[in-house]
Amino acid sequence: MALKVELKPHERIIIGACVITNTDQRTKLLIEGEKIPILREKDILTSATADTPAKLIYLAVQLMYLSPDPQAHHPTYFSLMRDMLNAAPSSWPFIEGINNHILNGEVYLALKEAKKLIAHEDKLLQSARNLQTAKSA
């Protein structure tokens, strides 16, 4: 079954090892193939935009997803995961979900779970900001 993707003007998408940039008009693509990594621009993090521990974990999982050798990125991922758990133990359910998907070879699903970890981290950071504001008031 083909994947249908509609790209906005100038939107980028990664298909396999290629970055494809759309022109100035909307474009529809039908992508056929099995086990080809595909990431839309909105789902791509770079080292410049991965500015929190959870985003660094997402970036490591993203690199696993796009790599022909995902295991090459495991040491980095597991190091980041340990750091995250030490800093925020409440992240364990999300980390556990990511780990399970990685171990089952479902790296795209691990990416989706990593997005949930980013949202959890955002809530923790916002709570810390609110507490800091309350203390200084």
Side-chain angles (χ1 to χ4, degrees):
M1 180 174 204
L3 174 66
K4 297 175 186 176
V5 178
E6 187 169 328
L7 298 176
K8 298 173 188 169
H10 307 289
E11 183 178 5
R12 286 184 262 178
I13 187 170
I14 295 175
I15 301 175
C18 300
V19 176
I20 297 168
T21 304
N22 192 18
T23 59
D24 58 350
Q25 297 178 3
R26 292 185 83 81
T27 302
K28 292 181 184 179
L29 301 174
L30 287 177
I31 304 168
E32 296 185 44
E34 293 184 31
K35 304 239 179 200
I36 299 169
I38 299 170
L39 276 181
R40 294 182 72 113
E41 185 171 11
K42 67 180 180 155
D43 297 322
I44 298 170
L45 275 184
T46 65
S47 57
T49 57
D51 55 1
T52 68
K55 288 179 183 178
L56 287 169
I57 288 173
Y58 182 96
L59 180 60
V61 175
Q62 175 183 291
L63 292 172
M64 280 185 232
Y65 177 63
L66 295 173
S67 176
D69 181 17
Q71 291 183 348
H73 302 283
H74 284 190
T76 301
Y77 165 75
F78 286 111
S79 175
L80 292 167
M81 176 201 68
R82 281 189 294 277
D83 292 345
M84 182 77 179
L85 287 173
N86 286 333
S90 63
S91 300
W92 171 245
F94 304 100
I95 297 289
E96 182 180 35
I98 295 167
N99 288 345
N100 288 336
H101 288 305
I102 289 170
L103 291 172
N104 290 325
E106 303 165 330
V107 186
Y108 183 75
L109 295 177
L111 267 179
K112 292 178 98 173
E113 194 69 28
K115 279 190 171 188
K116 295 177 187 176
L117 177 64
I118 292 170
H120 175 70
E121 180 186 55
D122 285 343
K123 288 178 187 174
L124 291 176
L125 292 172
Q126 188 58 47
S127 293
R129 282 187 212 104
N130 292 344
L131 187 61
Q132 188 66 29
T133 302
K135 282 185 179 179
S136 49

